[in-house]
Amino acid sequence: MKQVYYAVLLCIPLAACGGTDARQAASKAGAAYQSEALPLATTLVYDCNGFDFIARLGPGEMAVWLPDQYVVLSQVRSASGTTYEEGDITFWRDGENAMLTIADAQYLNCQLQPQRVPWEDARRRGVAFRAIGNEPGWYIEVRSNHDMLFVSDFGMQRVVIPSQGEERAGDVRVFQGNSDVHTLRLEILEQRCADTMSGEVFPNNAVVTFDSIRYQGCGQFLDYPWQEGP
Protein backbone atom coordinates (compact mmCIF):
# COMPACT_ATOMS: atom_id res chain seq x y z
CA MET A 1 0.00 0.00 0.00
CA LYS A 2 2.80 2.43 0.83
CA GLN A 3 4.46 1.86 -2.54
CA VAL A 4 1.21 2.63 -4.33
CA TYR A 5 0.70 5.75 -2.18
CA TYR A 6 4.22 7.05 -2.92
CA ALA A 7 3.72 6.34 -6.62
CA VAL A 8 0.57 8.44 -6.67
CA LEU A 9 2.34 11.31 -4.94
CA LEU A 10 5.18 11.15 -7.45
CA CYS A 11 2.75 11.22 -10.34
CA ILE A 12 1.00 14.41 -9.20
CA PRO A 13 3.85 16.86 -9.92
CA LEU A 14 4.73 15.00 -13.11
CA ALA A 15 1.16 15.32 -14.33
CA ALA A 16 1.13 18.98 -13.37
CA CYS A 17 4.26 19.64 -15.38
CA GLY A 18 3.78 17.24 -18.26
CA GLY A 19 0.07 18.16 -18.65
CA THR A 20 0.66 21.86 -19.36
CA ASP A 21 0.45 21.43 -23.14
CA ALA A 22 -2.66 19.28 -22.79
CA ARG A 23 -4.36 21.89 -20.60
CA GLN A 24 -3.49 24.67 -23.03
CA ALA A 25 -4.87 22.62 -25.91
CA ALA A 26 -8.04 21.96 -23.94
CA SER A 27 -8.34 25.66 -23.15
CA LYS A 28 -8.01 26.53 -26.85
CA ALA A 29 -10.60 23.93 -27.75
CA GLY A 30 -12.96 25.41 -25.18
CA ALA A 31 -12.43 28.87 -26.64
CA ALA A 32 -13.24 27.49 -30.07
CA TYR A 33 -16.70 26.56 -28.74
CA GLN A 34 -17.43 29.73 -26.81
CA SER A 35 -20.63 29.66 -24.76
CA GLU A 36 -23.45 31.69 -26.21
CA ALA A 37 -24.07 34.76 -24.05
CA LEU A 38 -27.66 35.19 -25.21
CA PRO A 39 -30.43 33.23 -23.42
CA LEU A 40 -31.43 29.90 -24.95
CA ALA A 41 -34.93 29.07 -26.24
CA THR A 42 -35.86 32.71 -26.81
CA THR A 43 -36.84 34.42 -30.05
CA LEU A 44 -34.34 36.92 -31.44
CA VAL A 45 -34.88 39.46 -34.22
CA TYR A 46 -31.92 40.79 -36.21
CA ASP A 47 -31.74 43.71 -38.62
CA CYS A 48 -28.68 43.54 -40.88
CA ASN A 49 -28.74 46.95 -42.59
CA GLY A 50 -32.31 46.37 -43.73
CA PHE A 51 -32.21 42.58 -44.10
CA ASP A 52 -34.31 41.10 -41.28
CA PHE A 53 -34.48 37.57 -39.95
CA ILE A 54 -35.76 35.70 -36.90
CA ALA A 55 -33.70 33.24 -34.85
CA ARG A 56 -34.02 30.95 -31.85
CA LEU A 57 -31.07 29.60 -29.89
CA GLY A 58 -30.76 26.06 -28.56
CA PRO A 59 -27.82 24.16 -27.05
CA GLY A 60 -25.18 24.18 -29.80
CA GLU A 61 -27.56 25.28 -32.54
CA MET A 62 -29.46 28.24 -33.94
CA ALA A 63 -32.78 28.01 -35.78
CA VAL A 64 -33.15 30.74 -38.42
CA TRP A 65 -36.24 31.95 -40.30
CA LEU A 66 -35.11 33.63 -43.52
CA PRO A 67 -37.46 35.25 -46.08
CA ASP A 68 -37.59 32.07 -48.17
CA GLN A 69 -36.47 29.23 -45.93
CA TYR A 70 -36.15 27.80 -42.44
CA VAL A 71 -32.82 26.23 -41.45
CA VAL A 72 -31.07 25.02 -38.30
CA LEU A 73 -27.42 26.06 -38.02
CA SER A 74 -24.96 24.09 -35.87
CA GLN A 75 -22.28 25.73 -33.75
CA VAL A 76 -18.81 25.26 -35.24
CA ARG A 77 -15.27 26.14 -34.20
CA SER A 78 -14.51 29.83 -34.41
CA ALA A 79 -11.28 31.82 -33.99
CA SER A 80 -13.31 34.48 -32.17
CA GLY A 81 -16.90 34.92 -31.06
CA THR A 82 -19.55 32.31 -31.83
CA THR A 83 -20.25 30.84 -35.26
CA TYR A 84 -23.21 28.77 -36.51
CA GLU A 85 -23.21 27.11 -39.93
CA GLU A 86 -25.25 24.91 -42.24
CA GLY A 87 -24.47 24.50 -45.94
CA ASP A 88 -23.77 27.91 -47.46
CA ILE A 89 -25.35 29.82 -44.54
CA THR A 90 -23.16 31.13 -41.70
CA PHE A 91 -23.96 33.39 -38.78
CA TRP A 92 -21.12 34.89 -36.71
CA ARG A 93 -21.47 36.99 -33.56
CA ASP A 94 -18.90 38.51 -31.21
CA GLY A 95 -20.32 40.89 -28.64
CA GLU A 96 -22.27 43.62 -30.44
CA ASN A 97 -20.84 42.66 -33.84
CA ALA A 98 -22.70 40.13 -35.98
CA MET A 99 -22.79 39.06 -39.64
CA LEU A 100 -24.93 36.71 -41.71
CA THR A 101 -23.55 35.08 -44.86
CA ILE A 102 -25.80 33.34 -47.40
CA ALA A 103 -23.80 31.89 -50.30
CA ASP A 104 -21.86 34.86 -51.71
CA ALA A 105 -24.00 37.52 -50.03
CA GLN A 106 -22.87 39.09 -46.77
CA TYR A 107 -25.26 40.97 -44.48
CA LEU A 108 -23.27 43.15 -42.10
CA ASN A 109 -23.99 45.07 -38.92
CA CYS A 110 -26.68 42.67 -37.69
CA GLN A 111 -28.28 44.30 -34.64
CA LEU A 112 -30.79 42.85 -32.19
CA GLN A 113 -34.25 44.42 -32.27
CA PRO A 114 -35.76 43.62 -28.84
CA GLN A 115 -38.85 45.80 -29.41
CA ARG A 116 -39.87 43.56 -32.31
CA VAL A 117 -39.46 40.27 -30.46
CA PRO A 118 -43.05 39.95 -29.10
CA TRP A 119 -44.47 40.49 -32.59
CA GLU A 120 -42.13 38.13 -34.42
CA ASP A 121 -42.48 35.50 -31.70
CA ALA A 122 -46.26 35.72 -32.08
CA ARG A 123 -45.88 35.39 -35.86
CA ARG A 124 -43.70 32.30 -35.41
CA ARG A 125 -46.34 30.76 -33.11
CA GLY A 126 -49.06 31.23 -35.70
CA VAL A 127 -50.85 34.21 -34.17
CA ALA A 128 -53.14 35.82 -36.74
CA PHE A 129 -53.64 39.21 -35.03
CA ARG A 130 -51.96 40.95 -32.10
CA ALA A 131 -52.73 44.25 -30.36
CA ILE A 132 -51.26 46.12 -27.40
CA GLY A 133 -52.29 48.96 -25.11
CA ASN A 134 -51.20 50.91 -22.06
CA GLU A 135 -52.33 52.20 -18.68
CA PRO A 136 -52.34 49.46 -17.54
CA GLY A 137 -50.28 47.43 -20.01
CA TRP A 138 -52.17 44.74 -21.91
CA TYR A 139 -52.09 42.70 -25.11
CA ILE A 140 -54.37 40.36 -27.00
CA GLU A 141 -53.57 37.61 -29.52
CA VAL A 142 -55.99 35.88 -31.86
CA ARG A 143 -54.54 32.48 -32.69
CA SER A 144 -54.97 30.59 -35.93
CA ASN A 145 -57.59 28.33 -34.30
CA HIS A 146 -59.38 31.53 -33.19
CA ASP A 147 -58.66 31.17 -29.49
CA MET A 148 -58.10 34.59 -27.94
CA LEU A 149 -55.34 35.14 -25.37
CA PHE A 150 -55.83 38.30 -23.30
CA VAL A 151 -53.14 39.44 -20.88
CA SER A 152 -53.73 42.54 -18.75
CA ASP A 153 -52.46 44.44 -15.70
CA PHE A 154 -48.86 44.03 -16.88
CA GLY A 155 -49.21 40.24 -16.99
CA MET A 156 -51.02 39.78 -13.67
CA GLN A 157 -54.21 38.57 -15.39
CA ARG A 158 -54.14 36.02 -18.22
CA VAL A 159 -57.13 34.30 -19.84
CA VAL A 160 -57.70 32.17 -22.95
CA ILE A 161 -61.21 32.24 -24.39
CA PRO A 162 -62.46 30.38 -27.50
CA SER A 163 -63.65 32.75 -30.20
CA GLN A 164 -66.92 32.27 -32.05
CA GLY A 165 -65.08 33.17 -35.26
CA GLU A 166 -64.71 36.39 -37.20
CA GLU A 167 -67.72 38.61 -37.77
CA ARG A 168 -68.17 41.82 -39.76
CA ALA A 169 -69.88 44.96 -38.53
CA GLY A 170 -69.46 47.43 -41.37
CA ASP A 171 -65.72 48.20 -41.60
CA VAL A 172 -65.06 46.57 -38.23
CA ARG A 173 -63.83 42.99 -37.87
CA VAL A 174 -65.03 41.41 -34.63
CA PHE A 175 -63.87 38.42 -32.60
CA GLN A 176 -65.74 37.54 -29.44
CA GLY A 177 -66.22 34.66 -27.06
CA ASN A 178 -67.31 33.59 -23.59
CA SER A 179 -66.02 31.35 -20.84
CA ASP A 180 -67.75 30.25 -17.64
CA VAL A 181 -66.74 33.50 -15.93
CA HIS A 182 -65.57 35.99 -18.59
CA THR A 183 -66.69 37.63 -21.82
CA LEU A 184 -64.18 38.97 -24.34
CA ARG A 185 -64.75 41.03 -27.48
CA LEU A 186 -62.14 42.40 -29.89
CA GLU A 187 -63.03 45.04 -32.50
CA ILE A 188 -60.46 45.72 -35.25
CA LEU A 189 -60.72 48.85 -37.36
CA GLU A 190 -58.50 49.40 -40.41
CA GLN A 191 -57.24 52.75 -39.21
CA ARG A 192 -53.73 54.01 -38.47
CA CYS A 193 -53.01 53.98 -34.76
CA ALA A 194 -50.08 55.38 -32.76
CA ASP A 195 -49.06 53.65 -29.54
CA THR A 196 -49.44 56.07 -26.63
CA MET A 197 -46.14 55.04 -25.03
CA SER A 198 -43.69 54.36 -27.87
CA GLY A 199 -45.29 56.42 -30.63
CA GLU A 200 -44.97 53.44 -32.99
CA VAL A 201 -47.61 53.48 -35.73
CA PHE A 202 -49.71 50.39 -36.46
CA PRO A 203 -52.19 49.76 -39.30
CA ASN A 204 -55.12 48.88 -37.04
CA ASN A 205 -57.04 50.42 -34.18
CA ALA A 206 -58.12 47.80 -31.62
CA VAL A 207 -60.80 47.96 -28.94
CA VAL A 208 -61.00 45.17 -26.36
CA THR A 209 -63.95 44.75 -24.02
CA PHE A 210 -63.11 42.34 -21.21
CA ASP A 211 -66.22 41.76 -19.09
CA SER A 212 -67.34 45.38 -18.62
CA ILE A 213 -63.91 47.01 -18.97
CA ARG A 214 -62.94 48.66 -22.25
CA TYR A 215 -59.33 48.86 -23.50
CA GLN A 216 -58.12 50.95 -26.43
CA GLY A 217 -54.93 50.09 -28.33
CA CYS A 218 -53.16 49.38 -31.61
CA GLY A 219 -52.39 46.20 -33.50
CA GLN A 220 -51.74 44.42 -36.76
CA PHE A 221 -52.40 41.19 -38.62
CA LEU A 222 -49.40 38.87 -38.87
CA ASP A 223 -48.40 36.74 -41.84
CA TYR A 224 -47.08 33.28 -41.05
CA PRO A 225 -43.42 32.42 -41.66
CA TRP A 226 -43.11 30.41 -44.86
CA GLN A 227 -42.39 27.31 -42.76
CA GLU A 228 -42.90 26.73 -39.07
CA GLY A 229 -39.97 25.53 -36.99
CA PRO A 230 -39.69 23.88 -33.58
Side-chain angles (χ1 to χ4, degrees):
M1 288 293 294
K2 289 183 179 180
Q3 291 178 345
V4 173
Y5 177 74
Y6 293 146
V8 170
L9 287 178
L10 289 172
C11 285
I12 292 174
L14 290 174
C17 296
T20 301
D21 293 341
R23 287 200 308 278
Q24 289 177 345
S27 176
K28 291 179 180 178
Y33 284 94
Q34 178 178 322
S35 300
E36 181 55 74
L38 296 173
L40 301 181
T42 56
T43 299
L44 306 171
V45 181
Y46 280 96
D47 180 352
C48 309
N49 291 338
F51 182 88
D52 301 348
F53 70 94
I54 310 168
R56 256 177 98 79
L57 291 173
E61 65 182 23
M62 181 181 192
V64 176
W65 285 261
L66 298 171
D68 60 350
Q69 64 179 311
Y70 164 79
V71 63
V72 177
L73 313 179
S74 299
Q75 187 175 353
V76 298
R77 294 183 182 275
S78 179
S80 64
T82 309
T83 300
Y84 298 91
E85 186 177 83
E86 177 62 34
D88 60 357
I89 301 175
T90 301
F91 178 78
W92 169 85
R93 191 184 72 83
D94 190 1
E96 297 298 318
N97 300 314
M99 176 178 67
L100 176 69
T101 302
I102 304 175
D104 296 329
Q106 285 190 335
Y107 301 94
L108 308 176
N109 193 34
C110 298
Q111 301 293 317
L112 287 169
Q113 307 294 308
Q115 76 280 3
R116 293 173 53 189
V117 165
W119 299 92
E120 296 301 339
D121 184 65
R123 186 196 308 275
R124 186 190 63 82
R125 290 185 284 106
V127 171
F129 180 85
R130 186 175 194 270
I132 59 173
N134 306 296
E135 299 177 5
W138 62 268
Y139 69 87
I140 189 169
E141 293 180 351
V142 180
R143 304 178 184 180
S144 56
N145 61 358
H146 294 296
D147 279 352
M148 294 185 291
L149 167 66
F150 181 62
V151 180
S152 59
D153 296 330
F154 301 102
M156 297 296 292
Q157 181 167 252
R158 183 184 185 94
V159 296
V160 176
I161 294 180
S163 169
Q164 299 169 2
E166 182 180 345
E167 301 174 3
R168 291 275 186 168
D171 295 334
V172 181
R173 301 169 73 168
V174 179
F175 294 88
Q176 59 185 343
N178 305 280
S179 70
D180 294 338
V181 292
H182 297 296
T183 61
L184 181 62
R185 177 182 174 91
L186 167 65
E187 301 173 48
I188 304 169
L189 181 62
E190 198 168 319
Q191 182 182 74
R192 286 169 62 86
C193 178
D195 182 75
T196 57
M197 293 289 286
S198 67
E200 184 177 357
V201 177
F202 294 88
N204 299 104
N205 195 306
V207 177
V208 174
T209 305
F210 179 62
D211 294 335
S212 60
I213 304 175
R214 184 180 172 92
Y215 300 83
Q216 184 84 30
C218 306
Q220 63 182 346
F221 286 91
L222 302 173
D223 296 330
Y224 297 114
W226 80 278
Q227 179 178 348
E228 293 186 10

